[in-house]
Amino acid sequence: GFHLSGTVTEPATATEPEMTYKVAISFDRCKITSVTCGCGNKDIFYCAHVVALSLYRIRKPDQVKLRLPISETLFQMNRDQLQKFVQYLITAHHTEVLPTAQKLADEILSSNSEINQVHGAPDPTAGASIDDENCWHLDEEQVREQVKLFLSQGGYYGSGKQLNSMFAKVREMLRMRDSNGARMLTLITEQFMADPRLSLWRQQGTGITEKCRQLWDELGALWVCVVLNPHCKLEEKSCWLRQLRKWGEMDVCPLEDGNYGNELPNITNALTQSSSHSQDSLARPRRTVFTRAIEGCDLHWQDSHLQRIISSDFYVSPSYQREGESLLFNSQGQPLWLEHVPTACARVDALRSHGYPREALRLTVAIINTLRLQQQRQLEIYKHQKKELLQRGATTITNLEGWVGHPLNPIGCLFLTLTEACRLEEENCLEISDAGDSKPPVYQHVPVVTGSQDSGESYLSLALEVALMGMGQQRVMPEGLYAQDKVCRNEEQIIARLQDLELDPVLVQTLRKQCILLLEGGPFSGLGEVIHRESVPMHTFAKYLFSALLPHDADLAYKLALRAMRLPVLETTAPSSDVTHPHHLVSVVPSRYPRWFTLGHLESQQCELASTMLTAAKGDMLRLRTVLEAIQKNIHSSSLIFKLAQDAFKIATPADSNSDTTLLNVALELGLQVMRMTLSTLNWRRREMVRWLVTCATEVGVRALVSILQSWYSLFTPTEATSIVAATVMSHNTILRLSLDYPQREELASCARTLALQCAMKDPQNCALSALTLCEKDHIAFETAYQIVIDAASTGMTYTQLFTIARYMEHRGYPLRAFKLASLAMTHLNLAYNQDTHPAINDVLWACALSHSLGKNELAAIIPLVVKSVHCATVLSDILRRCTMTAPGLAGIPGRRNSGKLMSTDKAPLRQLLDATISAYINTTHSRLTHISPRHYGEFIEFLSKARETFLLAQDGHIQFAQFIDNLKQIYKGKKKLMLLVRERFG
């Protein structure tokens, strides 16, 4: 009965023929201790053939012939029978057995061989002796290989999922009280510690990747579970302790909080710690992922009070103690368990994991009764300090060790233990989180079994209560990116589980009661009136509470959500006396804020909470007002307020029904706040924000538009006010959208014109043209705008701006004004000899053409300005050519006579222009010759030909040009080749 062998046939399939496998299984005291199978399967689990043979033996024991151990059978044989037996055996398997048989025969015949020193002989069919180790068969090599493979894939190809399912397998083994659970965990841990990436990450000083970090956390938590096994032997525990210490001392061992330095208080420390106890970070011991398990080895289960709690539902205090206060029981006589909360919860997890669900449940109830008592006491303490704390407006009381995001996940553990007792299922299976399991669990109320009078409570309402207590605990934000990120992740996990609960009247009552306690909890609650500056924000939690409470108690829902809107770390600077986290604030750059790596996420959660309240308050003016005030007081990021404004606008203007004016006004007010916040800071979304605000104000109506036009200077820059705001308000679309009557249109137009003139005064450079355009339909306003431009022209404006406005004036039919502005623009311009492709050339040519078309006087006025500003010969000769082609004054200004005669270059004003052009050609020639290269010779000769055309316009031009050429030949006679070309062309 210790060795089972058989043949298993696997039927043929479409692709594979029928296969037969030989299987052998050894077992001992109801455990399979070793297996072999012909299929050669390599896996951490048994192959199908081993399972088939085992099941056959279990289901049909009478079909399997039971034999004596082989040694017994051999004992009954005589000398001839034994000889025959051995020879037949060798013949049947001669290829495999013969060498071994020969070796054994030699050893038996040698008198001093080892085999002859031992009495008797081994028998594989006889089973182990009573003192031998006996444990389930586990292919250790396979476990190592698989973990190594999954780790090498670095979380890709679903390897993280595979490792998680191995962890789940360990939990399953522990629950079945299979001693291989710890063995398998040891093998997994060895491979984790041998991961070559660890030393790499340590050298580079980078953190472990997110996926890997979570696996290490689960590994640490599993070890805590293993060492807290209530029925493990002392020698097992000391063996695990040695291993854990060895791993923990390796320098590559990951640290508990994911970053080097900050560590949390010891696992066995007392409950709430005052911040003044925080030691300097340098003095703290190094805490690794195994530290909690190492500390867990010091814990035992021998305490008689603990034993009574877990072994009976009816353990209550003796009646005579009921009156006096004992630390072991509450006033109802129910037992309490006063241990460091995460440690106590680790015990619950261990009981649950090792297959003691009833015991886990009993301890959970004792812990919750303890937490309730603690909550009551804290409320009483707060009542005495309330006045002083409210005056100070801050508190240094806080938990340095939060329960949410804690490495031991205490709240999640209690919640799971309680809800598992309430699950409606065929078999009460342990929950293994898997993304594939999409159907939410269904729960029922199961009454709490208790020794005192019937409490009327259910494990389900306790689960909700403890989750709310834990999430509402006021606690300091831990240090380091990983720990902070874990707080957010754990909070989201707990909320996701809470959302699986159907809130019936019993649970709603629990919810309301706990919310009221949290609001009144003072510094012990994250939702109390006063909190620590670096307290973990409650936005995500409050959003859940708000949505859950709203249908049942709207006042409480709003009170709670509004209280939670704060984010004190952004609102105050650290008081000098605050020593909670000295190391938080010490950085190379002295910063106003501690290092909150998840601040962006926290702010967006704050924004989500506000958005949820806005949506719910639609149509309720009073509620919207309070929410709006909370947003304006607490949210400090303009882009988030803008997002809220957009959200409110979307909800207020549904496509299929009328707009909600209350919410629209809130959207507008938030939009106005964003405008004020971003007016003096650079924001890349600013244009989008301004456009959106005008759209929003248009939806609200004409009064809103008038209001933003009248108070533009506190909301917009002059450019935005004229080019975006006023222009959009005056557009045809806006007038149609609002279907305005004439007086309303006039009022808007008047406001837009006033704005335009104010902006033009403030920033003529950028707003003058927009102002003129906006004032076109009102003569007085237009004149005022024109005057502002003239006044600013001499100082504050560039020639480009002035030319643009001048062209606009000509286009509008004001040629003389255009001429005046063009003249002013010319005084700002300076074109050097070599700037023959300057963008302002077109403007200069246009200005001269305008002057020429107006008449001789205007041309005479602009030419001195051109001569003074333009030193580029080709541009000057172009102007000269254009002026001599037609008669001046063709624009036909009313009241002026036009002679219709062409102008002479000998007389003013063109004479001055001709002289300037000739002298520009002479200067340019000399400039070009100082650094000319042979490849530019041809181009230079063409330039001289152009110069000759201009020279010839003068009366003695040919003489002047000849002298000029002689002069060049004399000065530059060293440039022989060039002078040869000059001679060839010009003699």
Side-chain angles (χ1 to χ4, degrees):
F2 302 106
H3 191 275
L4 176 68
S5 50
T7 49
V8 178
T9 306
E10 201 167 306
T13 63
T15 50
E16 298 287 322
E18 181 180 277
M19 297 291 281
T20 302
Y21 299 104
K22 286 199 164 124
V23 182
I25 302 175
S26 302
F27 44 93
D28 177 11
R29 282 160 276 186
C30 304
K31 297 184 182 78
I32 292 176
T33 52
S34 74
V35 300
T36 51
C37 175
C39 73
N41 164 68
K42 290 270 173 251
D43 198 354
I44 59 171
F45 308 121
Y46 302 149
C47 66
H49 316 110
V50 168
V51 174
L53 182 63
S54 308
L55 290 176
Y56 186 80
R57 167 67 182 77
I58 293 165
R59 288 174 186 167
K60 303 185 178 174
D62 46 349
Q63 302 279 321
V64 180
K65 193 164 182 192
L66 188 61
R67 299 178 185 277
L68 285 168
I70 197 82
S71 51
E72 292 290 320
T73 313
L74 293 175
F75 188 68
Q76 291 164 16
M77 293 183 191
N78 62 25
R79 169 77 183 69
D80 290 349
Q81 287 171 316
L82 282 169
Q83 173 112 21
K84 202 170 197 175
F85 173 77
V86 173
Q87 283 182 252
Y88 265 95
L89 183 63
I90 293 172
T91 309
H93 300 283
H94 66 98
T95 49
E96 296 109 290
V97 179
L98 196 56
T100 314
Q102 190 61 63
K103 182 169 159 274
L104 287 172
D106 293 346
E107 286 191 12
I108 285 171
L109 292 173
S110 158
S111 58
N112 59 351
S113 67
E114 198 177 326
I115 209 166
N116 284 324
Q117 311 299 316
V118 182
H119 189 64
D123 177 358
T125 63
S129 86
I130 196 79
D131 320 318
D132 283 2
E133 271 291 298
N134 68 324
C135 58
W136 286 86
H137 170 68
L138 177 71
D139 187 339
E140 301 198 353
E141 196 41 50
Q142 243 350 84
V143 175
R144 287 193 194 96
E145 284 308 308
Q146 291 213 347
V147 178
K148 197 172 180 174
L149 172 70
F150 296 144
L151 282 172
S152 70
Q153 292 168 351
Y156 304 104
Y157 320 112
S159 60
K161 213 175 193 165
Q162 302 281 4
L163 286 164
N164 272 321
S165 74
M166 287 181 96
F167 288 146
K169 189 75 193 162
V170 171
R171 280 197 183 270
E172 194 186 322
M173 289 163 135
L174 296 179
R175 200 170 78 252
M176 304 309 291
R177 306 187 198 160
D178 173 353
S179 59
N180 273 340
R183 248 174 88 205
M184 183 155 156
L185 188 59
T186 304
L187 297 170
I188 293 174
T189 310
E190 280 168 354
Q191 290 310 308
F192 265 70
M193 289 302 295
D195 187 345
R197 292 175 299 171
L198 287 179
S199 53
L200 197 70
W201 284 324
R202 193 168 174 277
Q203 283 160 10
Q204 294 168 347
T206 51
I208 300 179
T209 60
E210 185 63 24
K211 279 196 175 109
C212 205
R213 214 25 272 202
Q214 290 173 27
L215 292 168
W216 274 102
D217 278 357
E218 176 61 6
L219 193 69
L222 269 174
W223 272 115
V224 173
C225 242
V226 167
V227 303
L228 280 179
N229 177 355
H231 292 290
C232 72
K233 299 190 190 84
L234 266 175
E235 54 270 28
E236 276 183 307
K237 204 183 246 192
S238 53
C239 171
W240 293 329
L241 183 58
R242 276 199 305 278
Q243 265 180 342
L244 290 164
R245 282 198 173 130
K246 188 184 86 197
W247 291 325
E249 282 159 11
M250 290 166 74
D251 55 3
V252 293
C253 186
L255 299 183
E256 181 173 77
D257 63 352
N259 60 315
Y260 295 90
N262 171 49
E263 310 303 342
L264 289 168
N266 181 302
I267 189 169
T268 46
N269 277 9
L271 281 162
T272 312
Q273 277 151 338
S274 158
S275 55
S276 57
H277 297 168
S278 154
Q279 334 109 281
D280 182 12
S281 54
L282 299 176
R284 295 178 216 186
R286 173 172 174 270
R287 291 182 67 88
T288 72
V289 287
F290 300 117
T291 304
R292 288 188 187 267
I294 292 168
E295 291 166 357
C297 290
D298 296 338
L299 299 171
H300 61 80
W301 296 83
Q302 271 73 59
D303 183 278
S304 59
H305 181 58
L306 176 63
Q307 282 300 325
R308 288 196 189 106
I309 290 174
I310 62 177
S311 57
S312 162
D313 287 321
F314 304 107
Y315 174 43
V316 291
S317 68
S319 49
Y320 58 83
Q321 252 188 338
R322 213 50 83 76
E323 297 308 309
E325 176 137 326
S326 150
L327 282 180
L328 300 181
F329 304 91
N330 64 12
S331 56
Q332 286 86 52
Q334 295 163 315
L336 304 174
W337 181 242
L338 276 87
E339 187 173 33
H340 173 242
V341 176
T343 310
C345 297
R347 286 186 190 273
V348 171
D349 193 29
L351 287 168
R352 215 178 109 240
S353 305
H354 288 285
Y356 302 100
R358 298 292 324 154
E359 289 81 347
L361 213 47
R362 289 168 188 147
L363 183 54
T364 299
V365 174
I367 293 171
I368 290 176
N369 283 327
T370 313
L371 290 176
R372 284 172 170 171
L373 187 63
Q374 190 188 335
Q375 199 176 39
Q376 286 311 124
R377 289 198 182 152
Q378 288 173 343
L379 271 174
E380 283 156 29
I381 295 169
Y382 174 53
K383 277 177 191 149
H384 295 300
Q385 304 174 332
K386 190 169 182 175
K387 202 172 168 193
E388 177 206 344
L389 280 175
L390 287 177
Q391 276 171 348
R392 276 222 315 265
T395 175
T396 52
I397 301 171
T398 182
N399 286 292
L400 285 186
E401 187 174 43
W403 300 330
V404 173
H406 190 282
L408 297 173
N409 188 12
I411 300 302
C413 159
L414 296 184
F415 186 83
L416 264 181
T417 307
L418 291 161
T419 50
E420 264 167 23
C422 305
R423 272 185 96 142
L424 268 176
E425 272 176 331
E426 287 68 64
E427 70 271 16
N428 203 347
C429 72
L430 195 82
E431 184 159 325
I432 293 163
S433 60
D434 182 19
D437 186 9
S438 55
K439 219 173 73 182
V442 182
Y443 299 109
Q444 60 182 355
H445 282 286
V446 176
V448 176
V449 186
T450 159
S452 56
Q453 71 278 26
D454 180 32
S455 62
E457 291 183 318
S458 84
Y459 291 119
L460 201 56
S461 60
L462 286 190
L464 175 62
E465 184 178 346
V466 79
L468 301 179
M469 266 188 191
M471 301 270 284
Q473 177 208 29
Q474 207 247 125
R475 55 200 184 267
V476 157
M477 178 66 81
E479 261 196 85
L481 169 62
Y482 180 71
Q484 291 174 12
D485 190 50
K486 201 163 160 189
V487 168
C488 302
R489 248 202 341 268
N490 193 203
E491 192 171 37
E492 279 157 16
Q493 286 160 354
I494 297 171
I495 287 173
R497 291 190 188 279
L498 284 174
Q499 281 163 339
D500 287 341
L501 300 181
E502 283 272 327
L503 291 180
D504 59 14
V506 178
L507 293 183
V508 169
Q509 195 187 344
T510 305
L511 178 70
R512 287 193 56 201
K513 185 178 159 199
Q514 198 48 237
C515 286
I516 292 164
L517 284 171
L518 286 172
L519 281 171
E520 292 171 357
F524 302 99
S525 154
L527 291 162
E529 282 174 277
V530 271
I531 53 168
H532 188 277
R533 175 176 177 262
E534 287 177 41
S535 190
V536 171
M538 293 279 137
H539 310 126
T540 315
F541 179 40
K543 187 178 141 194
Y544 161 76
L545 292 177
F546 178 79
S547 305
L549 272 173
L550 196 62
H552 311 287
D553 187 341
D555 286 342
L556 184 58
Y558 277 100
K559 188 177 178 187
L560 210 140
L562 290 164
R563 170 81 56 86
M565 272 295 289
R566 61 202 168 183
L567 191 50
V569 77
L570 293 183
E571 284 152 27
T572 52
T573 47
S576 49
S577 62
D578 185 6
V579 289
T580 320
H581 271 171
H583 43 282
H584 249 192
L585 300 166
V586 178
S587 63
V588 188
V589 185
S591 147
R592 200 177 133 208
Y593 310 131
R595 301 196 47 203
W596 281 29
F597 297 94
T598 50
L599 194 57
H601 170 76
L602 297 171
E603 283 190 283
S604 69
Q605 287 302 304
Q606 183 189 32
C607 177
E608 287 281 304
L609 173 61
S611 184
T612 308
M613 283 197 281
L614 282 177
T615 311
K618 180 177 172 177
D620 184 334
M621 203 55 234
L622 275 173
R623 291 240 195 266
L624 281 172
R625 274 279 132 222
T626 11
V627 177
L628 179 65
E629 281 161 22
I631 292 168
Q632 291 171 329
K633 181 179 170 213
N634 293 301
I635 297 186
H636 303 280
S637 149
S638 56
S639 55
L640 289 176
I641 296 180
F642 183 49
K643 184 188 176 300
L644 280 174
Q646 288 175 304
D647 286 354
F649 183 75
K650 268 196 205 100
I651 302 158
T653 52
D656 49 0
S657 62
N658 294 338
S659 299
D660 179 86
T661 45
T662 54
L663 201 47
L664 257 182
N665 279 305
V666 168
L668 179 65
E669 230 173 294
L670 290 171
L672 294 171
Q673 188 185 345
V674 172
M675 289 298 106
R676 290 190 284 269
M677 285 171 87
T678 55
L679 179 58
S680 53
T681 57
L682 288 173
N683 189 309
W684 59 277
R685 294 183 66 191
R686 176 78 189 171
R687 280 182 80 78
E688 177 198 348
M689 291 169 167
V690 174
R691 285 209 170 88
W692 178 87
L693 185 83
V694 180
T695 310
C696 181
T698 308
E699 278 299 318
V700 174
V702 70
R703 303 280 14 113
L705 288 175
V706 167
S707 165
I708 65 169
L709 291 174
Q710 286 175 344
S711 56
W712 70 268
Y713 43 85
S714 65
L715 305 168
F716 315 109
T717 64
T719 319
E720 290 167 345
T722 51
S723 65
I724 304 177
V725 183
T728 312
V729 171
M730 297 309 295
S731 70
H732 188 58
N733 283 351
T734 307
I735 308 236
L736 278 180
R737 176 87 189 83
L738 290 169
S739 50
L740 303 177
D741 57 19
Y742 181 74
Q744 287 175 316
R745 283 213 296 268
E746 269 313 292
E747 183 186 14
L748 266 187
S750 162
C751 287
R753 288 194 291 268
T754 309
L755 169 147
L757 294 174
Q758 289 170 340
C759 293
M761 286 290 284
K762 198 169 168 69
D763 183 5
Q765 286 188 314
N766 297 307
C767 300
L769 185 57
S770 304
L772 287 163
T773 315
L774 287 165
C775 296
E776 276 170 5
K777 294 196 174 99
D778 184 286
H779 178 68
I780 297 172
F782 189 77
E783 289 303 311
T784 314
Y786 172 66
Q787 200 46 55
I788 291 170
V789 175
I790 296 296
D791 293 345
S794 54
T795 52
M797 299 184 75
T798 65
Y799 59 81
T800 315
Q801 290 160 337
L802 288 167
F803 276 132
T804 309
I805 298 170
R807 289 190 165 200
Y808 161 82
M809 281 294 184
E810 188 199 26
H811 178 68
R812 299 276 312 140
Y814 294 105
L816 286 167
R817 289 182 172 186
F819 165 73
K820 183 165 187 181
L821 288 165
S823 306
L824 287 167
M826 287 301 296
T827 60
H828 292 275
L829 183 67
N830 185 20
L831 280 186
Y833 78 90
N834 55 355
Q835 289 182 294
D836 49 1
T837 56
H838 194 282
I841 291 171
N842 280 334
D843 289 321
V844 175
L845 294 175
W846 168 80
C848 292
L850 172 71
S851 313
H852 185 259
S853 72
L854 290 175
K856 202 170 173 179
N857 295 344
E858 281 76 13
L859 190 61
I862 207 148
I863 280 174
L865 300 176
V866 171
V867 165
K868 192 173 173 197
S869 301
V870 180
H871 307 288
C872 181
T874 48
V875 177
L876 289 169
S877 62
D878 199 2
I879 296 169
L880 189 61
R881 187 176 52 76
R882 289 169 188 230
C883 288
T884 52
M885 278 163 67
T886 53
L890 294 179
I893 298 291
R896 288 201 189 178
R897 283 176 61 243
N898 174 16
S899 67
K901 285 200 308 198
L902 294 175
M903 291 171 77
S904 156
T905 51
D906 289 342
K907 298 198 185 99
L910 293 189
R911 175 73 210 216
Q912 190 186 357
L913 183 58
L914 175 62
D915 290 347
T917 311
I918 289 172
S919 107
Y921 268 119
I922 293 170
N923 291 337
T924 306
T925 303
H926 287 299
S927 295
R928 286 179 75 164
L929 282 172
T930 50
H931 43 71
I932 193 167
S933 67
R935 61 199 174 96
H936 293 124
Y937 285 176
E939 198 187 303
F940 177 72
I941 298 298
E942 291 311 310
F943 174 74
L944 282 183
S945 305
K946 272 206 179 122
R948 179 164 60 181
E949 287 169 23
T950 304
F951 271 86
L952 294 181
L953 290 174
Q955 272 191 335
D956 53 351
H958 59 290
I959 300 166
Q960 268 185 295
F961 188 70
Q963 279 175 347
F964 173 51
I965 294 292
D966 284 344
N967 206 359
L968 288 185
K969 286 190 275 191
Q970 191 57 40
I971 299 171
Y972 301 103
K973 56 175 179 270
K975 298 185 189 294
K976 290 193 174 67
K977 194 175 175 192
L978 180 58
M979 289 309 128
L980 194 69
L981 293 172
V982 170
R983 249 187 228 100
E984 274 175 18
R985 177 69 72 91
F986 305 109

